[in-house]
Amino acid sequence: MCVDLYRNSPNAGMAEFQEKLRLQHENSMLTELEKLLITAKPSEAEISRKDFEGFKKLFHRFLQEKGPSVDWAKIQRPPEDSIQPYEKIELKGLPADVASSLNKLAVVKLNGGLGTSMGCKGPKSLISVRNENTFLDLTVQQIEHLNKSYNADVPLVLMNSFNTDEDTKKILQKYTHHRVKIHTFNQSRYPRISKESLLPVATNMGLTAENEEAWYPPGHGDIYASFYNSGLLDKLIAEGKEYIFVSNIDNLGATVDLHILNHLMSQPSDKRCEFVMEVTDKTRADVKGGTLTQYDGKLRLLEIAQVPKAHVDEFKSVTKFKIFNTNNLWISLPAIKRLHEKNAMDMEIIVNPKTLDGGLNVIQLETAVGAAMKSFDNALGINVPRSRFLPVKTTSDLLLVMSNLYSMNAGSLTMSPKREFPTTPHVKLGSSFTKVRDFLKRFESIPDMLELDHLTVSGDVTFGKQVTLKGTVIIIANHGDRIDIPAGAMLENKIVSGNLRILDH
């Protein structure tokens, strides 16, 4: 009798209805995926099937989970020893035989992104960032320098996406005579889901123009499955590699750090740290960055998307959460293999809403590589200097790395010793500078920025040769106006607005 009463209660009815609906959505999705697979080329069918296996798991979880994935009351500060200061690790010094540690390392760069946000076609890694060198050039130079200096064999592994694979592979031919072995593998290709019907928007497996928008690479959390599925994980383990150093290819501060590598290699085998996340101190510019917390007795990455709305301001607090994730990660290869084979890689789903060109609202289901941290044994955070986080996401960032603030040696950028403060200036360029092509046209040469604190530029502004910027400089050309900063000008703590053209006589 009790059971019947419960079944007939409104709550029970609702739960039953939702479960039916969930099963309906899941079955419809499975049917549609099978239809898509029939249209795959024979050479791609097996890869697509493996991709879809991962997608099905993610979609299944998406239908079951509702709301933010953390209970705010259970979040605790990480224990003192779980985030080590870099200085403490550096104090250990380096062993006499650095090469033996380097020979157990592979460098993985996340290379799935396009340069569209900076107005470029093709892979972002092929944008020139310094003296005609691209992100990829600088990466190859760094690793080649390591291999030559220590007589080591550190390979470079690029995780491409279907967007970047072809163009990247063409360019790799230019590195054949460099002392770096380069491997590539592709992250998965998942179907975008219509927000309305919760079904794929793709009609076939092709990547033709009209179908291109129907697919997406599912975030860098996909590295574990796609690395394993590619066979490259097993190949590297067979070659004696024990760790990978993973970072975004557009983070010019993410070079191989020998002190962190030595820390990993010098641990007793039963206490081996399987996962290290490099974190750095938050500034006001980093308030949305993921942070480390203690949750259910594990060190865990907490992203803003997981935070209940009522606690978002608390999450952004620089005093409560002092550090953020740089996405520079050191991960044990045998541990990735073990966790993947046991299906024990636990990552939160990121639901990313998008609107396609035709106006259709879709969702992408993604995961983040750092979110798997809690699945690994003896995970550790290392609080590194800010210099290890130098991402180039916009032309404002590009201006910094092209300037005399940095000097370059063997592909690595270091802050000039002539700059008195270790912090980088805050640069905000307006929409006239968004595309790299337009940005380059507006500078006859990159200004001297050694003593700059803050630069804001808005509107139609150009810079002549050998301009010097110091302190706080704000340049605003109103609509219809134009400002030309003349060659050799020195602007210190200046606001320039209105209309300024220096005419040659």
Side-chain angles (χ1 to χ4, degrees):
M1 184 64 188
C2 286
V3 173
D4 288 337
L5 274 173
Y6 171 71
R7 276 213 175 126
N8 294 330
S9 73
N11 285 351
M14 192 55 163
E16 208 171 295
F17 171 72
Q18 284 175 335
E19 180 60 17
K20 263 186 189 167
L21 197 61
R22 193 186 64 71
L23 277 172
Q24 204 176 322
H25 280 309
E26 195 150 7
N27 289 333
S28 302
M29 175 61 84
L30 294 179
T31 305
E32 291 303 309
L33 292 177
E34 284 304 319
K35 281 187 202 165
L36 284 172
L37 280 172
I38 293 166
T39 70
K41 292 178 188 167
S43 58
E44 292 169 4
E46 185 53 34
I47 296 167
S48 300
R49 193 168 281 285
K50 277 182 180 173
D51 285 355
F52 282 6
E53 286 310 311
F55 175 77
K56 285 176 198 171
K57 285 178 195 166
L58 214 51
F59 186 69
H60 174 78
R61 281 176 52 206
F62 162 72
L63 291 175
Q64 287 190 312
E65 294 171 14
K66 292 280 171 273
S69 57
V70 294
D71 176 351
W72 195 254
K74 287 164 71 177
I75 287 173
Q76 297 172 306
R77 282 177 189 270
E80 283 299 309
D81 61 346
S82 66
I83 301 176
Q84 300 270 343
Y86 177 78
E87 296 70 28
K88 187 177 168 188
I89 278 156
E90 199 178 22
L91 274 176
K92 286 182 175 180
L94 293 174
D97 186 13
V98 171
S100 72
S101 295
L102 280 171
N103 286 334
K104 292 173 185 167
L105 180 73
V107 172
V108 179
K109 292 286 181 182
L110 305 173
N111 185 45
L114 293 168
T116 42
S117 63
M118 292 165 78
C120 295
K121 286 194 166 84
K124 187 175 181 183
S125 56
L126 307 184
I127 295 174
S128 291
V129 280
R130 181 86 189 202
N131 309 349
E132 302 300 307
N133 287 293
T134 64
F135 289 106
L136 189 53
D137 291 335
L138 295 178
T139 301
V140 170
Q141 287 169 33
Q142 288 163 19
I143 300 174
E144 182 176 47
H145 178 67
L146 265 184
N147 286 339
K148 283 180 172 174
S149 302
Y150 295 99
N151 193 22
D153 177 23
V154 178
L156 169 62
V157 179
L158 298 171
M159 178 166 91
N160 299 336
S161 66
F162 63 87
N163 289 318
T164 63
D165 188 52
E166 203 176 315
D167 289 340
T168 302
K169 279 183 174 160
K170 276 182 202 159
I171 220 87
L172 290 183
Q173 291 164 5
K174 77 185 237 193
Y175 306 116
T176 42
H177 300 298
H178 288 66
R179 192 169 159 178
V180 184
K181 285 184 195 143
I182 303 178
H183 306 282
T184 65
F185 70 96
N186 266 15
Q187 66 188 112
S188 306
R189 171 158 76 107
Y190 282 6
R192 282 181 167 147
I193 307 165
S194 160
K195 196 176 176 185
E196 197 73 24
S197 66
L198 291 187
L199 291 173
V201 295
T203 52
N204 60 64
M205 292 298 293
L207 276 173
T208 49
E210 73 275 6
N211 209 26
E212 197 176 14
E213 275 201 316
W215 303 96
Y216 71 99
H220 41 57
D222 180 58
I223 185 172
Y224 305 109
S226 52
F227 197 17
Y228 182 93
N229 289 341
S230 72
L232 197 50
L233 177 76
D234 282 335
K235 179 176 161 47
L236 291 175
I237 290 173
E239 288 172 9
K241 306 300 177 195
E242 292 179 22
Y243 281 93
I244 48 172
F245 171 51
V246 181
S247 63
N248 298 343
I249 199 149
D250 63 9
N251 178 6
L252 294 178
T255 57
V256 171
D257 186 281
L258 297 175
H259 294 282
I260 296 176
L261 179 63
N262 180 47
H263 179 75
L264 288 171
M265 293 300 181
S266 59
Q267 304 288 322
S269 54
D270 58 331
K271 294 216 175 88
R272 266 285 165 95
C273 179
E274 292 184 343
F275 193 108
V276 162
M277 177 180 286
E278 293 184 34
V279 295
T280 195
D281 293 344
K282 256 189 193 183
T283 66
R284 299 258 170 237
D286 315 305
V287 291
K288 291 183 178 176
T291 192
L292 284 181
T293 59
Q294 179 85 349
Y295 193 91
D296 287 343
K298 285 273 196 179
L299 199 58
R300 170 172 173 158
L301 176 65
L302 176 67
E303 299 274 14
I304 194 163
Q306 296 160 246
V307 177
K309 281 196 170 62
H311 296 281
V312 166
D313 287 342
E314 201 180 330
F315 173 83
K316 288 181 179 177
S317 153
V318 178
T319 45
K320 178 159 185 180
F321 297 106
K322 293 184 166 67
I323 51 157
F324 75 98
N325 168 28
T326 63
N327 219 35
N328 299 348
L329 309 167
W330 302 75
I331 314 173
S332 156
L333 286 169
I336 294 175
K337 183 176 166 71
R338 180 190 78 233
L339 290 167
H340 183 78
E341 288 176 350
K342 285 184 175 173
N343 198 18
M345 202 74 77
D346 181 14
M347 290 175 281
E348 290 73 36
I349 297 174
I350 300 162
V351 180
N352 191 353
K354 296 259 180 192
T355 304
L356 302 186
D357 286 346
L360 182 70
N361 290 324
V362 296
I363 50 177
Q364 298 181 178
L365 303 181
E366 302 176 8
T367 54
V369 57
M373 184 179 201
K374 59 183 175 296
S375 307
F376 290 84
D377 294 339
N378 304 317
L380 180 72
I382 297 180
N383 192 345
V384 297
R386 180 78 187 197
S387 57
R388 290 191 58 72
F389 184 67
L390 187 59
V392 181
K393 303 286 182 197
T394 62
T395 49
S396 301
D397 299 329
L398 191 56
L399 181 63
L400 290 170
V401 299
M402 289 176 89
S403 76
N404 62 342
L405 283 164
Y406 293 95
S407 52
M408 190 173 88
N409 179 31
S412 298
L413 296 187
T414 44
M415 177 83 69
S416 167
K418 291 179 187 165
R419 181 162 172 87
E420 288 181 21
F421 331 99
T423 54
T424 49
H426 186 69
V427 172
K428 199 172 176 189
L429 300 178
S431 56
S432 307
F433 292 80
T434 302
K435 294 180 175 177
V436 174
R437 189 179 59 246
D438 300 338
F439 161 89
L440 293 171
K441 277 183 198 159
R442 292 183 175 276
F443 290 97
E444 279 195 56
S445 71
I446 302 295
D448 175 334
M449 292 164 54
L450 277 175
E451 294 179 48
L452 179 71
D453 298 324
H454 180 109
L455 173 68
T456 295
V457 185
S458 176
D460 186 0
V461 179
T462 63
F463 292 79
K465 283 186 176 167
Q466 295 176 322
V467 171
T468 302
L469 305 171
K470 296 182 178 185
T472 295
V473 178
I474 297 169
I475 306 169
I476 296 172
N478 297 322
H479 185 66
D481 289 345
R482 175 169 159 185
I483 295 175
D484 295 325
I485 305 297
M490 200 277 276
L491 302 180
E492 181 170 9
N493 296 324
K494 281 267 191 303
I495 296 178
V496 181
S497 66
N499 204 355
L500 175 71
R501 284 193 199 189
I502 307 295
L503 299 174
D504 290 332
H505 295 292

Short mmCIF file of all heavy atoms in Angstrom, two decimals, residues 65 126 160 165 231 299 304 350-351 452 465-466 502:
data_model
loop_
_atom_site.label_atom_id
_atom_site.label_comp_id
_atom_site.label_asym_id
_atom_site.label_seq_id
_atom_site.Cartn_x
_atom_site.Cartn_y
_atom_site.Cartn_z
N GLU A 65 22.65 14.96 -14.68
CA GLU A 65 23.10 15.97 -13.71
C GLU A 65 22.35 17.28 -13.91
O GLU A 65 22.17 17.74 -15.01
CB GLU A 65 24.61 16.22 -13.86
CG GLU A 65 25.43 15.00 -13.48
CD GLU A 65 26.90 15.15 -13.82
OE1 GLU A 65 27.34 16.28 -14.11
OE2 GLU A 65 27.60 14.13 -13.80
N LEU A 126 50.13 29.12 -35.52
CA LEU A 126 50.91 29.57 -36.68
C LEU A 126 50.92 31.10 -36.82
O LEU A 126 51.39 31.64 -37.81
CB LEU A 126 50.39 28.92 -37.97
CG LEU A 126 50.30 27.37 -37.94
CD1 LEU A 126 49.87 26.83 -39.28
CD2 LEU A 126 51.64 26.75 -37.50
N ASN A 160 46.13 18.10 -31.79
CA ASN A 160 45.41 18.91 -32.78
C ASN A 160 43.91 18.64 -32.69
O ASN A 160 43.47 17.69 -32.05
CB ASN A 160 45.89 18.56 -34.20
CG ASN A 160 47.38 18.86 -34.39
OD1 ASN A 160 47.95 19.69 -33.69
ND2 ASN A 160 48.00 18.18 -35.35
N ASP A 165 44.46 20.19 -37.69
CA ASP A 165 45.35 19.05 -38.00
C ASP A 165 46.05 19.19 -39.35
O ASP A 165 47.27 19.07 -39.45
CB ASP A 165 44.54 17.75 -37.93
CG ASP A 165 45.45 16.53 -38.06
OD1 ASP A 165 46.43 16.45 -37.29
OD2 ASP A 165 45.20 15.69 -38.92
N GLY A 231 46.94 5.50 -29.55
CA GLY A 231 48.05 4.53 -29.46
C GLY A 231 49.36 5.21 -29.06
O GLY A 231 50.35 4.53 -28.74
N LEU A 299 42.26 17.01 -3.36
CA LEU A 299 42.59 18.30 -3.97
C LEU A 299 41.83 18.37 -5.28
O LEU A 299 41.89 17.44 -6.08
CB LEU A 299 44.10 18.37 -4.20
CG LEU A 299 44.73 19.75 -4.42
CD1 LEU A 299 44.44 20.67 -3.24
CD2 LEU A 299 46.23 19.63 -4.62
N ILE A 304 34.66 28.39 -12.30
CA ILE A 304 33.55 29.32 -12.06
C ILE A 304 32.20 28.73 -12.50
O ILE A 304 31.17 28.97 -11.88
CB ILE A 304 33.81 30.70 -12.72
CG1 ILE A 304 32.84 31.76 -12.17
CG2 ILE A 304 33.77 30.62 -14.23
CD1 ILE A 304 33.27 33.19 -12.45
N ILE A 350 31.27 20.64 -18.70
CA ILE A 350 31.08 22.07 -18.95
C ILE A 350 30.07 22.17 -20.09
O ILE A 350 30.28 21.62 -21.17
CB ILE A 350 32.41 22.74 -19.36
CG1 ILE A 350 33.46 22.58 -18.26
CG2 ILE A 350 32.19 24.22 -19.69
CD1 ILE A 350 34.88 22.81 -18.71
N VAL A 351 28.95 22.83 -19.83
CA VAL A 351 27.92 23.00 -20.87
C VAL A 351 28.15 24.38 -21.49
O VAL A 351 27.98 25.40 -20.84
CB VAL A 351 26.49 22.89 -20.29
CG1 VAL A 351 25.45 23.07 -21.39
CG2 VAL A 351 26.30 21.54 -19.60
N LEU A 452 56.10 51.41 -18.65
CA LEU A 452 54.64 51.56 -18.76
C LEU A 452 53.93 50.78 -17.65
O LEU A 452 54.31 49.67 -17.31
CB LEU A 452 54.20 51.03 -20.13
CG LEU A 452 52.69 51.08 -20.43
CD1 LEU A 452 52.23 52.52 -20.64
CD2 LEU A 452 52.37 50.26 -21.68
N LYS A 465 57.23 55.56 -35.53
CA LYS A 465 58.40 54.79 -35.08
C LYS A 465 58.93 55.33 -33.75
O LYS A 465 58.85 56.53 -33.49
CB LYS A 465 59.51 54.87 -36.13
CG LYS A 465 59.27 53.97 -37.31
CD LYS A 465 60.46 53.97 -38.25
CE LYS A 465 60.20 52.95 -39.38
NZ LYS A 465 61.12 53.10 -40.47
N GLN A 466 59.50 54.44 -32.96
CA GLN A 466 60.25 54.79 -31.75
C GLN A 466 59.47 55.70 -30.79
O GLN A 466 59.99 56.69 -30.29
CB GLN A 466 61.59 55.44 -32.12
CG GLN A 466 62.48 54.44 -32.85
CD GLN A 466 63.78 55.04 -33.33
OE1 GLN A 466 63.81 56.18 -33.77
NE2 GLN A 466 64.85 54.28 -33.23
N ILE A 502 49.80 64.80 -37.20
CA ILE A 502 51.02 65.55 -37.46
C ILE A 502 51.27 65.47 -38.96
O ILE A 502 51.45 64.39 -39.51
CB ILE A 502 52.21 64.94 -36.69
CG1 ILE A 502 51.86 64.81 -35.20
CG2 ILE A 502 53.49 65.73 -36.91
CD1 ILE A 502 51.63 66.10 -34.46
#
